[in-house]
Amino acid sequence: MQFLLERLVNRTDPDMGLAPPFDLADAVMAQVQRIVSCRSDVAARSIAIDGFGLPGIVDTGGGVHDLERYGDRLARAIARYEPRLRDITVEWVATGRALQPRALVVHGCLPGSDEPTTFRFEMPEGEGSR
């Protein structure tokens, strides 16, 4: 299933030129990246835009409970704004690096032709720290 803008970008009209074939996993990964990158506050007055977006990870505490709350909020946002991903779980995995000791990983299932395929998104290094 493609969203409207994905259908517009992945056009099949020969007069417009052909776009690359649609890849559901790439489309879901791009949407999860948008959710992670979008901030929920606008301007200095902290006006929320329909609850979309997440706080910057550096604005949350560094404790385990703070990271779990962030992960829960991310899982709820993905469930709401990316309905193609099912059975969402978010985990923090150890990286072994001193400056970034944990990495955020999202797991879920994508609908497939016969059985759902597994999806894994790992936040790229340096993302979420803005």
Side-chain angles (χ1 to χ4, degrees):
M1 174 178 88
Q2 293 182 11
F3 289 148
L4 173 62
L5 291 177
E6 291 166 349
R7 285 193 302 256
L8 293 173
V9 169
N10 292 297
R11 59 202 177 273
T12 56
D13 184 359
D15 294 333
M16 295 176 65
L18 296 177
F22 179 73
D23 183 355
L24 180 60
D26 287 344
V28 170
M29 191 168 297
Q31 182 68 358
V32 170
Q33 182 64 48
R34 283 185 206 98
I35 293 169
V36 169
S37 298
C38 185
R39 298 295 163 250
S40 57
D41 298 333
V42 176
R45 296 189 321 239
S46 298
I47 301 169
I49 301 177
D50 191 30
F52 184 79
L54 296 166
I57 192 66
V58 295
D59 296 333
T60 63
V64 174
H65 296 296
D66 298 318
L67 295 176
E68 287 174 357
R69 277 197 306 271
Y70 183 89
D72 290 342
R73 186 170 179 182
L74 175 59
R76 286 193 312 271
I78 293 170
R80 181 173 181 187
Y81 297 108
E82 183 45 87
R84 299 174 291 190
L85 190 60
R86 306 271 187 226
D87 303 325
I88 302 161
T89 58
V90 176
E91 70 173 325
W92 293 92
V93 295
T95 63
R97 295 187 298 258
L99 295 179
Q100 188 180 7
R102 296 176 193 89
L104 176 67
V105 179
V106 177
H107 300 275
C109 292
L110 294 172
S113 56
D114 295 331
E115 291 185 18
T117 57
T118 303
F119 172 85
R120 179 186 162 124
F121 169 83
E122 186 168 342
M123 185 182 295
E125 189 171 329
E127 289 294 323
S129 58
R130 293 181 226 164

